[in-house]
Amino acid sequence: MRNIFNNTQIAFSLKSDTELDRAYFLFKMIANEPLVRIGTAVTNFAIKANLPVEGLIRATVFDHFCGGVNEEDCLTVVDKLFTKGVSSVLDYSVEGKEEEEQFDEVLEKTLKLIEFAKEKKSIPFAVFKPTGFGRIDLYEQIGEGKQLNESETQEWNRVVARFDKVCKASYDSDVALLIDAEESWMQNPVDDLVEEMMMKYNKSKPIVFNTLQMYRWDRLDYLKKLHDKAKKEGFYIGMKLVRGAYMEKENERAIEKEYPTPICPSKEATDENYDAAVKYMVDYIDTMSVFEGTHNEASTYFLMDLMEEKGIKSDDDRIWFGQLYGMSDNISYNLADNGYNVAKYLPFGPVKDVMPYLIRRAEENTSVAGQTSRELAMIKAERNRRKGK
């Protein structure tokens, strides 16, 4: 089973030579931190100034990391991935909205995605981000235990109603629903709300999934407490496990507001925490379902080994592996080729609105040790293989 992720022929089987060259160019650019900073600033300026750069963005970074500008646009990519056994999670990646009308728009978009997933075996999950359904400041107020006034209480009730409407639609359609994580200072109200939804809709199997960012040292304890509650109340747990996306922001805020950082003290501690959560969930897989969202080969092998030890089949529907579209194809496609359940997060939305997501991807690849160099090494190996070297 070891070293299955080195097979670049399988990893890049869907990429033409031109697409492979584009990927190589993109990751070479991303590897250069000053270039990413300059490129981000220039791109933001060009978009705000309404300069005609969308075509260029679409032909390069957008098409590499995104499925399309709308859900129909994504279907070509979804069908293509599924020919290799890789499923898709359509992720409406428009961020930073603040108006009720915009939240209702995201709600309708999510409901439409559930309908899409219901009709297509290639889309096993729907997904949404809590801040797509309500104001960041509102989550933060509740997270800090502040009293809401009457208007804010009504506003929060609308957020709860949006959550419930989407979770009920998922339940009625028998489509699993992934709910993304937020920053720690607004995560508590999200956790409480998702627990309510689990109690309501996960009575017979996991439909509603929360997300645990395992770079937070308190998340394993949270999972264990949730498990105790699930046993008492009689519901199943669905959980997506990730390492986390807001580390710098979390540490800076902890320093500024003078409280202990919620982040693990080291990368090694995060890795241990992550694998401990994976093991805990597999130990109780009869009442849980895990979506392992990772680009880390060691953690992927760890879960594969646990499955083998416990006699769990590779295609057991309670265990999924997930990576972002445009990244770690060596993991995704080789897992699928070996019979595991794999889904790519496939972001979509208007080019202009998806730019914050794309900028975060570029910055993440620059800052995560080894990520870009691994991508480049794999792409280089495949290019050489094709040239017969």
PDB file of all heavy atoms in Angstrom, residues 314-345:
ATOM      1  N   SER A 314     -12.288  -0.250   1.805  1.00  0.00           N
ATOM      2  CA  SER A 314     -11.824   1.053   1.299  1.00  0.00           C
ATOM      3  C   SER A 314     -12.984   1.946   0.863  1.00  0.00           C
ATOM      4  O   SER A 314     -12.901   3.168   0.956  1.00  0.00           O
ATOM      5  CB  SER A 314     -10.852   0.861   0.134  1.00  0.00           C
ATOM      6  OG  SER A 314     -11.477   0.143  -0.915  1.00  0.00           O
ATOM      7  N   ASP A 315     -14.091   1.352   0.396  1.00  0.00           N
ATOM      8  CA  ASP A 315     -15.214   2.164  -0.078  1.00  0.00           C
ATOM      9  C   ASP A 315     -16.340   2.286   0.946  1.00  0.00           C
ATOM     10  O   ASP A 315     -17.477   2.609   0.601  1.00  0.00           O
ATOM     11  CB  ASP A 315     -15.755   1.600  -1.395  1.00  0.00           C
ATOM     12  CG  ASP A 315     -16.336   0.189  -1.236  1.00  0.00           C
ATOM     13  OD1 ASP A 315     -16.141  -0.422  -0.160  1.00  0.00           O
ATOM     14  OD2 ASP A 315     -16.979  -0.285  -2.189  1.00  0.00           O
ATOM     15  N   ASP A 316     -16.025   2.039   2.225  1.00  0.00           N
ATOM     16  CA  ASP A 316     -17.025   2.191   3.288  1.00  0.00           C
ATOM     17  C   ASP A 316     -17.532   3.636   3.296  1.00  0.00           C
ATOM     18  O   ASP A 316     -16.741   4.586   3.398  1.00  0.00           O
ATOM     19  CB  ASP A 316     -16.404   1.846   4.654  1.00  0.00           C
ATOM     20  CG  ASP A 316     -17.442   1.758   5.766  1.00  0.00           C
ATOM     21  OD1 ASP A 316     -18.149   2.760   5.986  1.00  0.00           O
ATOM     22  OD2 ASP A 316     -17.544   0.696   6.414  1.00  0.00           O
ATOM     23  N   ASP A 317     -18.842   3.800   3.179  1.00  0.00           N
ATOM     24  CA  ASP A 317     -19.427   5.128   2.988  1.00  0.00           C
ATOM     25  C   ASP A 317     -19.283   6.050   4.201  1.00  0.00           C
ATOM     26  O   ASP A 317     -19.558   7.244   4.118  1.00  0.00           O
ATOM     27  CB  ASP A 317     -20.916   4.988   2.623  1.00  0.00           C
ATOM     28  CG  ASP A 317     -21.415   6.209   1.880  1.00  0.00           C
ATOM     29  OD1 ASP A 317     -20.676   6.714   1.023  1.00  0.00           O
ATOM     30  OD2 ASP A 317     -22.533   6.681   2.170  1.00  0.00           O
ATOM     31  N   ARG A 318     -18.842   5.512   5.345  1.00  0.00           N
ATOM     32  CA  ARG A 318     -18.682   6.341   6.543  1.00  0.00           C
ATOM     33  C   ARG A 318     -17.345   7.072   6.562  1.00  0.00           C
ATOM     34  O   ARG A 318     -17.095   7.899   7.439  1.00  0.00           O
ATOM     35  CB  ARG A 318     -18.812   5.468   7.794  1.00  0.00           C
ATOM     36  CG  ARG A 318     -20.189   4.828   7.953  1.00  0.00           C
ATOM     37  CD  ARG A 318     -20.185   3.749   9.016  1.00  0.00           C
ATOM     38  NE  ARG A 318     -19.277   2.642   8.702  1.00  0.00           N
ATOM     39  CZ  ARG A 318     -19.105   1.563   9.452  1.00  0.00           C
ATOM     40  NH1 ARG A 318     -19.780   1.454  10.591  1.00  0.00           N
ATOM     41  NH2 ARG A 318     -18.269   0.611   9.100  1.00  0.00           N
ATOM     42  N   ILE A 319     -16.460   6.752   5.602  1.00  0.00           N
ATOM     43  CA  ILE A 319     -15.128   7.365   5.583  1.00  0.00           C
ATOM     44  C   ILE A 319     -14.834   7.948   4.205  1.00  0.00           C
ATOM     45  O   ILE A 319     -14.866   7.241   3.196  1.00  0.00           O
ATOM     46  CB  ILE A 319     -14.042   6.341   5.975  1.00  0.00           C
ATOM     47  CG1 ILE A 319     -14.281   5.856   7.415  1.00  0.00           C
ATOM     48  CG2 ILE A 319     -12.648   6.959   5.844  1.00  0.00           C
ATOM     49  CD1 ILE A 319     -13.324   4.779   7.897  1.00  0.00           C
ATOM     50  N   TRP A 320     -14.552   9.257   4.206  1.00  0.00           N
ATOM     51  CA  TRP A 320     -14.224   9.971   2.967  1.00  0.00           C
ATOM     52  C   TRP A 320     -12.905  10.724   3.132  1.00  0.00           C
ATOM     53  O   TRP A 320     -12.580  11.188   4.223  1.00  0.00           O
ATOM     54  CB  TRP A 320     -15.327  10.974   2.620  1.00  0.00           C
ATOM     55  CG  TRP A 320     -16.507  10.325   1.989  1.00  0.00           C
ATOM     56  CD1 TRP A 320     -17.519   9.641   2.620  1.00  0.00           C
ATOM     57  CD2 TRP A 320     -16.811  10.265   0.588  1.00  0.00           C
ATOM     58  NE1 TRP A 320     -18.418   9.168   1.706  1.00  0.00           N
ATOM     59  CE2 TRP A 320     -18.020   9.537   0.445  1.00  0.00           C
ATOM     60  CE3 TRP A 320     -16.175  10.766  -0.558  1.00  0.00           C
ATOM     61  CZ2 TRP A 320     -18.598   9.296  -0.804  1.00  0.00           C
ATOM     62  CZ3 TRP A 320     -16.755  10.526  -1.798  1.00  0.00           C
ATOM     63  CH2 TRP A 320     -17.952   9.800  -1.922  1.00  0.00           C
ATOM     64  N   PHE A 321     -12.191  10.827   2.040  1.00  0.00           N
ATOM     65  CA  PHE A 321     -10.976  11.639   1.974  1.00  0.00           C
ATOM     66  C   PHE A 321     -11.281  12.837   1.066  1.00  0.00           C
ATOM     67  O   PHE A 321     -11.960  12.687   0.051  1.00  0.00           O
ATOM     68  CB  PHE A 321      -9.821  10.849   1.354  1.00  0.00           C
ATOM     69  CG  PHE A 321      -9.384   9.647   2.149  1.00  0.00           C
ATOM     70  CD1 PHE A 321     -10.050   8.437   2.032  1.00  0.00           C
ATOM     71  CD2 PHE A 321      -8.281   9.716   3.002  1.00  0.00           C
ATOM     72  CE1 PHE A 321      -9.653   7.314   2.754  1.00  0.00           C
ATOM     73  CE2 PHE A 321      -7.873   8.601   3.728  1.00  0.00           C
ATOM     74  CZ  PHE A 321      -8.562   7.397   3.606  1.00  0.00           C
ATOM     75  N   GLY A 322     -10.774  14.015   1.440  1.00  0.00           N
ATOM     76  CA  GLY A 322     -11.055  15.191   0.618  1.00  0.00           C
ATOM     77  C   GLY A 322      -9.848  16.099   0.450  1.00  0.00           C
ATOM     78  O   GLY A 322      -9.061  16.280   1.382  1.00  0.00           O
ATOM     79  N   GLN A 323      -9.701  16.634  -0.769  1.00  0.00           N
ATOM     80  CA  GLN A 323      -8.679  17.643  -1.054  1.00  0.00           C
ATOM     81  C   GLN A 323      -9.302  18.763  -1.889  1.00  0.00           C
ATOM     82  O   GLN A 323     -10.393  18.604  -2.434  1.00  0.00           O
ATOM     83  CB  GLN A 323      -7.494  17.030  -1.854  1.00  0.00           C
ATOM     84  CG  GLN A 323      -6.634  16.048  -1.093  1.00  0.00           C
ATOM     85  CD  GLN A 323      -7.273  14.665  -1.010  1.00  0.00           C
ATOM     86  OE1 GLN A 323      -7.844  14.187  -1.986  1.00  0.00           O
ATOM     87  NE2 GLN A 323      -7.173  14.039   0.148  1.00  0.00           N
ATOM     88  N   LEU A 324      -8.604  19.875  -1.959  1.00  0.00           N
ATOM     89  CA  LEU A 324      -9.072  21.007  -2.750  1.00  0.00           C
ATOM     90  C   LEU A 324      -8.750  20.780  -4.222  1.00  0.00           C
ATOM     91  O   LEU A 324      -7.691  20.227  -4.562  1.00  0.00           O
ATOM     92  CB  LEU A 324      -8.401  22.304  -2.286  1.00  0.00           C
ATOM     93  CG  LEU A 324      -8.711  22.744  -0.852  1.00  0.00           C
ATOM     94  CD1 LEU A 324      -7.766  23.859  -0.422  1.00  0.00           C
ATOM     95  CD2 LEU A 324     -10.158  23.205  -0.717  1.00  0.00           C
ATOM     96  N   TYR A 325      -9.651  21.213  -5.082  1.00  0.00           N
ATOM     97  CA  TYR A 325      -9.419  21.133  -6.526  1.00  0.00           C
ATOM     98  C   TYR A 325      -8.177  21.954  -6.886  1.00  0.00           C
ATOM     99  O   TYR A 325      -7.977  23.048  -6.392  1.00  0.00           O
ATOM    100  CB  TYR A 325     -10.644  21.680  -7.262  1.00  0.00           C
ATOM    101  CG  TYR A 325     -10.562  21.598  -8.763  1.00  0.00           C
ATOM    102  CD1 TYR A 325     -10.522  20.360  -9.411  1.00  0.00           C
ATOM    103  CD2 TYR A 325     -10.536  22.753  -9.539  1.00  0.00           C
ATOM    104  CE1 TYR A 325     -10.451  20.277 -10.797  1.00  0.00           C
ATOM    105  CE2 TYR A 325     -10.477  22.681 -10.926  1.00  0.00           C
ATOM    106  CZ  TYR A 325     -10.431  21.444 -11.547  1.00  0.00           C
ATOM    107  OH  TYR A 325     -10.368  21.362 -12.928  1.00  0.00           O
ATOM    108  N   GLY A 326      -7.341  21.374  -7.732  1.00  0.00           N
ATOM    109  CA  GLY A 326      -6.124  22.065  -8.162  1.00  0.00           C
ATOM    110  C   GLY A 326      -4.926  21.789  -7.285  1.00  0.00           C
ATOM    111  O   GLY A 326      -3.831  22.295  -7.535  1.00  0.00           O
ATOM    112  N   MET A 327      -5.120  20.988  -6.224  1.00  0.00           N
ATOM    113  CA  MET A 327      -4.022  20.677  -5.307  1.00  0.00           C
ATOM    114  C   MET A 327      -4.016  19.185  -4.955  1.00  0.00           C
ATOM    115  O   MET A 327      -5.066  18.532  -4.941  1.00  0.00           O
ATOM    116  CB  MET A 327      -4.158  21.502  -4.019  1.00  0.00           C
ATOM    117  CG  MET A 327      -3.933  22.988  -4.223  1.00  0.00           C
ATOM    118  SD  MET A 327      -4.412  23.986  -2.788  1.00  0.00           S
ATOM    119  CE  MET A 327      -3.279  23.409  -1.538  1.00  0.00           C
ATOM    120  N   SER A 328      -2.829  18.671  -4.688  1.00  0.00           N
ATOM    121  CA  SER A 328      -2.655  17.293  -4.196  1.00  0.00           C
ATOM    122  C   SER A 328      -3.373  16.241  -5.053  1.00  0.00           C
ATOM    123  O   SER A 328      -3.971  15.299  -4.549  1.00  0.00           O
ATOM    124  CB  SER A 328      -3.121  17.176  -2.736  1.00  0.00           C
ATOM    125  OG  SER A 328      -2.371  18.030  -1.908  1.00  0.00           O
ATOM    126  N   ASP A 329      -3.266  16.390  -6.369  1.00  0.00           N
ATOM    127  CA  ASP A 329      -3.864  15.389  -7.263  1.00  0.00           C
ATOM    128  C   ASP A 329      -3.212  14.018  -7.081  1.00  0.00           C
ATOM    129  O   ASP A 329      -3.849  12.994  -7.318  1.00  0.00           O
ATOM    130  CB  ASP A 329      -3.726  15.833  -8.720  1.00  0.00           C
ATOM    131  CG  ASP A 329      -4.675  16.977  -9.060  1.00  0.00           C
ATOM    132  OD1 ASP A 329      -5.592  17.247  -8.261  1.00  0.00           O
ATOM    133  OD2 ASP A 329      -4.502  17.604 -10.122  1.00  0.00           O
ATOM    134  N   ASN A 330      -1.954  14.016  -6.644  1.00  0.00           N
ATOM    135  CA  ASN A 330      -1.283  12.719  -6.412  1.00  0.00           C
ATOM    136  C   ASN A 330      -1.964  11.926  -5.300  1.00  0.00           C
ATOM    137  O   ASN A 330      -2.001  10.698  -5.335  1.00  0.00           O
ATOM    138  CB  ASN A 330       0.200  12.931  -6.081  1.00  0.00           C
ATOM    139  CG  ASN A 330       0.411  13.654  -4.759  1.00  0.00           C
ATOM    140  OD1 ASN A 330      -0.178  14.703  -4.523  1.00  0.00           O
ATOM    141  ND2 ASN A 330       1.241  13.106  -3.897  1.00  0.00           N
ATOM    142  N   ILE A 331      -2.564  12.642  -4.327  1.00  0.00           N
ATOM    143  CA  ILE A 331      -3.307  11.958  -3.258  1.00  0.00           C
ATOM    144  C   ILE A 331      -4.697  11.552  -3.773  1.00  0.00           C
ATOM    145  O   ILE A 331      -5.091  10.395  -3.687  1.00  0.00           O
ATOM    146  CB  ILE A 331      -3.426  12.857  -2.005  1.00  0.00           C
ATOM    147  CG1 ILE A 331      -2.043  13.116  -1.395  1.00  0.00           C
ATOM    148  CG2 ILE A 331      -4.348  12.219  -0.967  1.00  0.00           C
ATOM    149  CD1 ILE A 331      -2.042  14.040  -0.188  1.00  0.00           C
ATOM    150  N   SER A 332      -5.426  12.514  -4.321  1.00  0.00           N
ATOM    151  CA  SER A 332      -6.827  12.275  -4.706  1.00  0.00           C
ATOM    152  C   SER A 332      -6.976  11.133  -5.703  1.00  0.00           C
ATOM    153  O   SER A 332      -7.752  10.190  -5.485  1.00  0.00           O
ATOM    154  CB  SER A 332      -7.435  13.545  -5.314  1.00  0.00           C
ATOM    155  OG  SER A 332      -7.260  14.655  -4.477  1.00  0.00           O
ATOM    156  N   TYR A 333      -6.255  11.231  -6.809  1.00  0.00           N
ATOM    157  CA  TYR A 333      -6.477  10.270  -7.901  1.00  0.00           C
ATOM    158  C   TYR A 333      -5.919   8.890  -7.578  1.00  0.00           C
ATOM    159  O   TYR A 333      -6.485   7.880  -8.001  1.00  0.00           O
ATOM    160  CB  TYR A 333      -5.908  10.822  -9.212  1.00  0.00           C
ATOM    161  CG  TYR A 333      -6.710  11.994  -9.717  1.00  0.00           C
ATOM    162  CD1 TYR A 333      -6.333  13.298  -9.417  1.00  0.00           C
ATOM    163  CD2 TYR A 333      -7.880  11.798 -10.445  1.00  0.00           C
ATOM    164  CE1 TYR A 333      -7.089  14.372  -9.831  1.00  0.00           C
ATOM    165  CE2 TYR A 333      -8.643  12.872 -10.866  1.00  0.00           C
ATOM    166  CZ  TYR A 333      -8.248  14.161 -10.565  1.00  0.00           C
ATOM    167  OH  TYR A 333      -9.007  15.228 -10.963  1.00  0.00           O
ATOM    168  N   ASN A 334      -4.834   8.845  -6.822  1.00  0.00           N
ATOM    169  CA  ASN A 334      -4.294   7.532  -6.444  1.00  0.00           C
ATOM    170  C   ASN A 334      -5.157   6.856  -5.383  1.00  0.00           C
ATOM    171  O   ASN A 334      -5.296   5.633  -5.379  1.00  0.00           O
ATOM    172  CB  ASN A 334      -2.839   7.664  -5.993  1.00  0.00           C
ATOM    173  CG  ASN A 334      -1.891   7.798  -7.180  1.00  0.00           C
ATOM    174  OD1 ASN A 334      -1.813   6.913  -8.016  1.00  0.00           O
ATOM    175  ND2 ASN A 334      -1.197   8.930  -7.259  1.00  0.00           N
ATOM    176  N   LEU A 335      -5.758   7.649  -4.482  1.00  0.00           N
ATOM    177  CA  LEU A 335      -6.718   7.080  -3.529  1.00  0.00           C
ATOM    178  C   LEU A 335      -7.907   6.469  -4.280  1.00  0.00           C
ATOM    179  O   LEU A 335      -8.313   5.337  -4.022  1.00  0.00           O
ATOM    180  CB  LEU A 335      -7.237   8.157  -2.571  1.00  0.00           C
ATOM    181  CG  LEU A 335      -6.420   8.486  -1.325  1.00  0.00           C
ATOM    182  CD1 LEU A 335      -7.011   9.711  -0.625  1.00  0.00           C
ATOM    183  CD2 LEU A 335      -6.354   7.312  -0.349  1.00  0.00           C
ATOM    184  N   ALA A 336      -8.458   7.247  -5.211  1.00  0.00           N
ATOM    185  CA  ALA A 336      -9.619   6.775  -5.975  1.00  0.00           C
ATOM    186  C   ALA A 336      -9.254   5.521  -6.777  1.00  0.00           C
ATOM    187  O   ALA A 336     -10.048   4.574  -6.848  1.00  0.00           O
ATOM    188  CB  ALA A 336     -10.112   7.876  -6.911  1.00  0.00           C
ATOM    189  N   ASP A 337      -8.053   5.515  -7.340  1.00  0.00           N
ATOM    190  CA  ASP A 337      -7.613   4.356  -8.124  1.00  0.00           C
ATOM    191  C   ASP A 337      -7.496   3.104  -7.260  1.00  0.00           C
ATOM    192  O   ASP A 337      -7.604   1.984  -7.767  1.00  0.00           O
ATOM    193  CB  ASP A 337      -6.257   4.674  -8.783  1.00  0.00           C
ATOM    194  CG  ASP A 337      -5.864   3.642  -9.823  1.00  0.00           C
ATOM    195  OD1 ASP A 337      -6.576   3.542 -10.841  1.00  0.00           O
ATOM    196  OD2 ASP A 337      -4.874   2.911  -9.610  1.00  0.00           O
ATOM    197  N   ASN A 338      -7.298   3.311  -5.940  1.00  0.00           N
ATOM    198  CA  ASN A 338      -7.208   2.183  -5.012  1.00  0.00           C
ATOM    199  C   ASN A 338      -8.544   1.893  -4.309  1.00  0.00           C
ATOM    200  O   ASN A 338      -8.587   1.154  -3.327  1.00  0.00           O
ATOM    201  CB  ASN A 338      -6.103   2.438  -3.978  1.00  0.00           C
ATOM    202  CG  ASN A 338      -4.719   2.146  -4.543  1.00  0.00           C
ATOM    203  OD1 ASN A 338      -4.209   1.040  -4.438  1.00  0.00           O
ATOM    204  ND2 ASN A 338      -4.112   3.147  -5.186  1.00  0.00           N
ATOM    205  N   GLY A 339      -9.612   2.515  -4.812  1.00  0.00           N
ATOM    206  CA  GLY A 339     -10.950   2.161  -4.342  1.00  0.00           C
ATOM    207  C   GLY A 339     -11.492   2.936  -3.158  1.00  0.00           C
ATOM    208  O   GLY A 339     -12.545   2.592  -2.604  1.00  0.00           O
ATOM    209  N   TYR A 340     -10.791   4.009  -2.722  1.00  0.00           N
ATOM    210  CA  TYR A 340     -11.255   4.800  -1.570  1.00  0.00           C
ATOM    211  C   TYR A 340     -12.255   5.868  -2.016  1.00  0.00           C
ATOM    212  O   TYR A 340     -12.274   6.275  -3.183  1.00  0.00           O
ATOM    213  CB  TYR A 340     -10.061   5.460  -0.860  1.00  0.00           C
ATOM    214  CG  TYR A 340      -9.170   4.469  -0.165  1.00  0.00           C
ATOM    215  CD1 TYR A 340      -8.103   3.871  -0.838  1.00  0.00           C
ATOM    216  CD2 TYR A 340      -9.401   4.100   1.161  1.00  0.00           C
ATOM    217  CE1 TYR A 340      -7.286   2.931  -0.209  1.00  0.00           C
ATOM    218  CE2 TYR A 340      -8.587   3.165   1.801  1.00  0.00           C
ATOM    219  CZ  TYR A 340      -7.542   2.586   1.109  1.00  0.00           C
ATOM    220  OH  TYR A 340      -6.751   1.655   1.735  1.00  0.00           O
ATOM    221  N   ASN A 341     -13.083   6.314  -1.067  1.00  0.00           N
ATOM    222  CA  ASN A 341     -14.015   7.413  -1.336  1.00  0.00           C
ATOM    223  C   ASN A 341     -13.260   8.735  -1.282  1.00  0.00           C
ATOM    224  O   ASN A 341     -12.719   9.092  -0.231  1.00  0.00           O
ATOM    225  CB  ASN A 341     -15.133   7.434  -0.282  1.00  0.00           C
ATOM    226  CG  ASN A 341     -15.985   6.184  -0.314  1.00  0.00           C
ATOM    227  OD1 ASN A 341     -16.333   5.684  -1.372  1.00  0.00           O
ATOM    228  ND2 ASN A 341     -16.320   5.660   0.861  1.00  0.00           N
ATOM    229  N   VAL A 342     -13.251   9.454  -2.391  1.00  0.00           N
ATOM    230  CA  VAL A 342     -12.504  10.711  -2.470  1.00  0.00           C
ATOM    231  C   VAL A 342     -13.388  11.792  -3.081  1.00  0.00           C
ATOM    232  O   VAL A 342     -14.104  11.547  -4.050  1.00  0.00           O
ATOM    233  CB  VAL A 342     -11.257  10.576  -3.383  1.00  0.00           C
ATOM    234  CG1 VAL A 342     -10.389  11.829  -3.282  1.00  0.00           C
ATOM    235  CG2 VAL A 342     -10.452   9.354  -3.044  1.00  0.00           C
ATOM    236  N   ALA A 343     -13.325  12.988  -2.500  1.00  0.00           N
ATOM    237  CA  ALA A 343     -14.069  14.121  -3.058  1.00  0.00           C
ATOM    238  C   ALA A 343     -13.163  15.349  -3.124  1.00  0.00           C
ATOM    239  O   ALA A 343     -12.437  15.638  -2.179  1.00  0.00           O
ATOM    240  CB  ALA A 343     -15.297  14.425  -2.209  1.00  0.00           C
ATOM    241  N   LYS A 344     -13.219  16.022  -4.240  1.00  0.00           N
ATOM    242  CA  LYS A 344     -12.521  17.292  -4.389  1.00  0.00           C
ATOM    243  C   LYS A 344     -13.480  18.432  -4.049  1.00  0.00           C
ATOM    244  O   LYS A 344     -14.615  18.468  -4.534  1.00  0.00           O
ATOM    245  CB  LYS A 344     -12.054  17.477  -5.840  1.00  0.00           C
ATOM    246  CG  LYS A 344     -10.813  16.670  -6.215  1.00  0.00           C
ATOM    247  CD  LYS A 344      -9.556  17.304  -5.685  1.00  0.00           C
ATOM    248  CE  LYS A 344      -8.326  16.823  -6.442  1.00  0.00           C
ATOM    249  NZ  LYS A 344      -7.080  17.321  -5.792  1.00  0.00           N
ATOM    250  N   TYR A 345     -13.032  19.370  -3.209  1.00  0.00           N
ATOM    251  CA  TYR A 345     -13.773  20.616  -2.987  1.00  0.00           C
ATOM    252  C   TYR A 345     -13.627  21.446  -4.254  1.00  0.00           C
ATOM    253  O   TYR A 345     -12.510  21.796  -4.645  1.00  0.00           O
ATOM    254  CB  TYR A 345     -13.168  21.373  -1.809  1.00  0.00           C
ATOM    255  CG  TYR A 345     -14.014  21.388  -0.562  1.00  0.00           C
ATOM    256  CD1 TYR A 345     -14.351  20.205   0.092  1.00  0.00           C
ATOM    257  CD2 TYR A 345     -14.468  22.584  -0.021  1.00  0.00           C
ATOM    258  CE1 TYR A 345     -15.122  20.216   1.254  1.00  0.00           C
ATOM    259  CE2 TYR A 345     -15.239  22.611   1.140  1.00  0.00           C
ATOM    260  CZ  TYR A 345     -15.567  21.423   1.764  1.00  0.00           C
ATOM    261  OH  TYR A 345     -16.330  21.445   2.904  1.00  0.00           O
TER     262      TYR A 345
END
